[in-house]
Amino acid sequence: MVVSTPSWVLHVDLDQFLASVELRRHPELTGLPVIVGGNGDPTEPRKVVTCASYEARGFGVHAGMPLRTAARRCPGATFLPSDPVAYDAASDRVMGLLRDLGYPVEVWGWDEAYLGVAAEDDVGPTDVAEQIQTVIFSETGLSCSVGISDNKQRAKVATGFAKPAGIFVLTDANWMNVMADRPVDALWGVGPKTAKKLAALGITTVRELAHSDAELLTSTFGPRTGLWLLLLAKGGGDTEVSAEPWVPRSRSHVVTFPRDLTERAEMDSAVTELARRALDDVVGAERIVTRVAVTVRTATFYTRTKIRKLTAPTTDADVIAAAALRVLDLFELDRPVRLLGVRLELEMPD
């Protein structure tokens, strides 16, 4: 593992990520309230909002809310089904672009990552942030916000002030001016339970927490957590950015069809083309394929992935296309197909 203690830590957060991925496929919905979750049916019981567009958030819709509640709050919203396959592909693309910039990248999920940037005379952290936004938008059509600081926790807080699609710098110079009068749960890592316990001590703002008695905090929360809370309130946090050397484990291509496929010949043709496109990426990277996976999503949004190991690692196009078709044979293709994907898993270097 590569560990870096950079001069600057940049937190990159993709704006309304899942909704934005959907809007790339449904540009006619841009500017309208869009809610992603479940199978896209707001009457579906026990299903919750995965992501809401900024327009839907204006109606009080938020992630984790039951879809039925969201429909009542925003009756004019368009509901779309969650599509993890597409989100995986979009996230992988963005994280690859970030790594290609040459800085240590620590990924924190689908839609966020930290970059460690060393101090350089000719390139400042804001320059890097602008480059990140330009590259991501030009290559994927997705926008992101970037928080800049000297540690992860403060950079994460800074991103909140940058949204949407902005850049915000939060350092010792402006920390208290920005944060002093904000509630303690404005600090990343301070949740409702901790805020309630702090309130019982008469501590409700960041300024009050920053000037609170260390012994009081350690006696209430324990030595480790108590001192950590005090550090957070003063603007401190983790300064290291760690990253595994990036070696892709697979290459994939996915397509959602403008009309559902019903003929097996169409499905075979699509899978063959997807396999060859993925293999082009593999060959370009001078890698070797060991396993072939196929993903099928039907018109009812039933999604499954099946995978099989090759007899021997190869980059032979005919062998890999044939293997993908054999994996496709494992599915019961008795319903119209909305999406197909092929993933080629690769032999890892020593």
Side-chain angles (χ1 to χ4, degrees):
M1 178 180 292
V2 176
V3 178
S4 170
T5 305
S7 301
W8 296 98
V9 175
L10 276 59
H11 177 251
V12 180
D13 195 345
L14 294 167
D15 299 322
Q16 55 174 21
F17 173 55
L18 307 190
S20 292
V21 173
E22 296 297 343
L23 290 172
R24 291 192 307 182
R25 298 190 286 193
H26 303 282
E28 71 279 5
L29 298 177
T30 300
L32 301 176
V34 173
I35 298 170
V36 179
N39 289 324
D41 180 0
T43 66
E44 192 177 9
R46 298 187 300 278
K47 296 296 183 179
V48 300
V49 175
T50 307
C51 182
S53 68
Y54 289 124
E55 292 78 11
R57 295 178 197 183
F59 288 85
V61 177
H62 58 79
M65 173 182 288
L67 289 180
R68 290 180 173 180
T69 302
R72 289 195 297 270
R73 291 197 179 183
C74 190
T78 298
F79 285 80
L80 297 173
S82 184
D83 189 352
V85 174
Y87 310 147
D88 279 339
S91 178
D92 287 348
R93 176 67 173 143
V94 168
M95 299 310 164
L97 291 170
L98 291 178
R99 291 180 174 106
D100 287 344
L101 294 176
Y103 301 99
V105 176
E106 186 172 336
V107 177
W108 274 63
W110 261 341
D111 59 350
E112 61 179 318
Y114 289 97
L115 276 74
V117 178
E120 298 179 9
D121 293 337
D122 55 340
V123 180
T126 302
D127 298 320
V128 177
E130 291 174 349
Q131 182 185 16
I132 288 168
Q133 291 179 323
T134 299
V135 167
I136 290 177
F137 186 78
S138 63
E139 293 290 335
T140 70
L142 299 172
S143 71
C144 68
S145 301
V146 183
I148 300 173
S149 190
D150 54 2
N151 65 66
K152 290 177 183 174
Q153 284 70 19
R154 189 150 58 185
K156 171 82 170 183
V157 173
T159 309
F161 295 107
K163 284 189 168 293
I167 298 169
F168 195 88
V169 181
L170 195 55
T171 66
D172 281 337
N174 64 340
W175 172 255
M176 276 302 171
N177 287 337
V178 173
M179 297 297 295
D181 295 326
R182 296 183 182 275
V184 291
D185 60 5
L187 298 170
W188 183 42
V190 177
K193 291 183 179 179
T194 300
K196 186 176 180 180
K197 291 177 72 174
L198 286 169
L201 300 175
I203 301 169
T204 60
T205 68
V206 172
R207 177 191 286 110
E208 290 170 345
L209 180 55
H211 292 90
S212 60
D213 181 66
E215 290 187 5
L216 175 63
L217 294 176
T218 55
S219 64
T220 304
F221 295 96
R224 182 173 182 178
T225 300
L227 294 177
W228 178 247
L229 289 171
L230 189 59
L231 179 68
L232 288 179
K234 293 178 182 293
D238 297 325
T239 58
E240 292 184 346
V241 176
S242 61
E244 294 284 351
W246 188 50
V247 180
R249 296 180 178 274
S250 66
R251 297 284 184 172
S252 62
H253 278 279
V254 179
V255 60
T256 300
F257 303 104
R259 62 171 182 81
D260 296 340
L261 302 187
T262 57
E263 300 296 328
R264 177 58 190 267
E266 294 178 307
M267 301 175 199
D268 287 350
S269 177
V271 163
T272 300
E273 175 61 22
L274 289 167
R276 292 185 183 278
R277 287 173 59 192
L279 182 60
D280 286 343
D281 295 341
V282 172
V283 172
E286 299 182 345
R287 303 288 296 281
I288 300 176
V289 181
T290 59
R291 300 203 298 176
V292 177
V294 174
T295 297
V296 174
R297 171 170 295 131
T298 66
T300 59
F301 288 91
Y302 180 84
T303 306
R304 286 292 182 272
T305 298
K306 297 181 184 293
I307 187 168
R308 290 295 182 269
K309 185 176 181 180
L310 296 173
T311 304
T314 185
T315 55
D316 186 292
D318 292 335
V319 170
I320 289 170
L325 292 173
R326 286 197 300 273
V327 177
L328 184 64
D329 284 336
L330 302 175
F331 293 89
E332 293 183 10
L333 300 172
D334 54 353
R335 297 178 182 177
V337 170
R338 173 185 173 86
L339 172 149
L340 286 170
V342 173
R343 184 177 77 250
L344 306 181
E345 296 199 352
L346 310 178
E347 188 173 69
M348 296 301 291
D350 296 333

